[in-house]
Amino acid sequence: MHKLQASLLEEEAAKRAELERFHRQQQRALSQTEAEKQELVAEQRLKERELQAAMLQLEKLERERLGALEQYQEVSMKLERATNKTKTWKDKVAKHEGLVRLIQPGHKGPQRITNWGPASFTDVELELRKKSWQERKNQGAPAQ
């Protein structure tokens, strides 16, 4: 009976040792799995933060793009208005160009005084006016 009891105790002790070894293996596997899980959770959080930062940067860039687009449209409209104003200004200048004469210093010779005032036209202009007056006078004389 003692031998049977001793052999049962030995079997029980061997089974217990085996179960304890199996339990330690499971505990190691469980702790390793838990560590891997913690590592994956930390990695996931890091990626989520990176994704959030990238999304914020994307929103910021989109706002900047929209602002730049608005500025571009404003500048384009201003440029178009300036172009139109320049065209109208050039047209006005071209229209009135015949009326505008640059003021330049004249010669200091004797000045002519006419009913328009002193030095209102040059000698060359006076000669041209005399010729045109003579031509008109000659053309009008034969018709009478």
Side-chain angles (χ1 to χ4, degrees), residues 7 9 27 42 44 54 78 83 90 101 109 113 133 135-136:
S7 71
L9 280 174
Q27 287 296 330
Q44 182 182 8
K78 285 181 182 178
T83 303
K90 285 182 180 178
R101 187 173 68 184
I113 296 181
W133 179 74
E135 287 173 4
R136 276 189 263 133

Side-chain angles (χ1 to χ4, degrees), residues 68-93:
L69 183 62
E70 285 179 19
Q71 286 179 343
Y72 171 75
Q73 289 173 347
E74 287 175 17
V75 168
S76 294
M77 288 183 354
K78 285 181 182 178
L79 181 62
E80 188 175 332
R81 276 188 251 133
T83 303
N84 290 339
K85 285 183 181 179
T86 303
K87 285 180 185 175
T88 58
W89 178 78
K90 285 182 180 178
D91 291 342
K92 287 179 184 177
V93 168

Side-chain angles (χ1 to χ4, degrees), residues 15 17 20 27 30 36 48 77 84 91 98 117 121 124 128 130 132 143:
K15 283 183 182 179
E20 285 178 357
Q27 287 296 330
L30 186 62
E36 288 174 359
E48 285 176 0
M77 288 183 354
N84 290 339
D91 291 342
F121 48 84
V124 175
L128 287 173
K130 281 183 184 178
S132 67

Side-chain angles (χ1 to χ4, degrees), residues 29-43:
L30 186 62
S31 64
Q32 184 179 0
T33 305
E34 189 65 33
E36 288 174 359
K37 179 183 173 185
Q38 292 295 328
E39 189 178 310
L40 288 174
V41 166
E43 193 174 310

